[in-house]
């Protein structure tokens, strides 16, 4: 089941296991969505195995509700946001995605 979390902190940490942590650092994206394709959607995804939904979760930063959503830009206007993903293993190594 998909979940939307409004006004989340600019740094989110996902503890994937005792040995691995994923971090999302974001700005301009106040919200977060946690989702999984589940059974039917995973079977319809060509690059996803039918049973892989059991081993994954997706966490995404977004602008879902509240001030500034939906985002409507006129001619000459712009909007910026940033998102940095990193993975840390128990030994302290960082991998930036």
């Amino acid at each position: 089941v998909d979940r939307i979390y409004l006004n989340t902190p600019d740094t989110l940490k996902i503890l994937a296991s005792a040995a691995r942590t994923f971090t999302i650092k974001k700005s301009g994206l106040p919200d977060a969505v946690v989702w999984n394709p589940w059974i039917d959607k995973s079977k319809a995804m060509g690059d996803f195995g039918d049973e892989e939904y059991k081993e994954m979760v997706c966490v995404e930063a977004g602008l879902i509700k509240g001030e500034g959503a939906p985002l409507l830009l006129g001619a000459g206007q712009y909007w910026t946001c940033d998102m940095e993903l990193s993975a840390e293993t128990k030994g302290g190594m960082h991998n930036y995605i």
Side-chain angles (χ1 to χ4, degrees):
V1 174
D2 299 346
R3 296 280 187 246
I4 296 171
Y5 298 92
L6 303 177
N7 300 314
T8 59
D10 286 340
T11 300
L12 305 173
K13 291 197 177 271
I14 299 103
L15 302 174
S17 69
R20 188 144 221 196
T21 301
F22 294 96
T23 302
I24 299 172
K25 292 183 180 179
K26 60 190 181 67
S27 66
L29 299 164
D31 308 319
V33 178
V34 179
W35 65 275
N36 179 293
W38 208 239
I39 299 167
D40 293 336
K41 287 181 185 176
S42 66
K43 288 181 179 179
M45 297 169 68
D47 61 345
F48 204 82
D50 289 354
E51 299 294 314
E52 287 182 0
Y53 72 92
K54 296 176 182 177
E55 300 176 16
M56 68 81 66
V57 64
C58 184
V59 180
E60 298 179 89
L63 178 62
I64 310 299
K65 289 187 176 180
E67 186 176 336
L71 182 64
L72 303 172
L73 297 176
Q77 293 182 316
Y78 65 93
W79 172 72
T80 59
C81 68
D82 293 297
M83 184 174 75
E84 177 185 291
L85 305 174
S86 62
E88 183 178 357
T89 57
K90 192 172 185 177
M93 292 180 55
H94 281 83
N95 297 311
Y96 291 94
I97 304 168

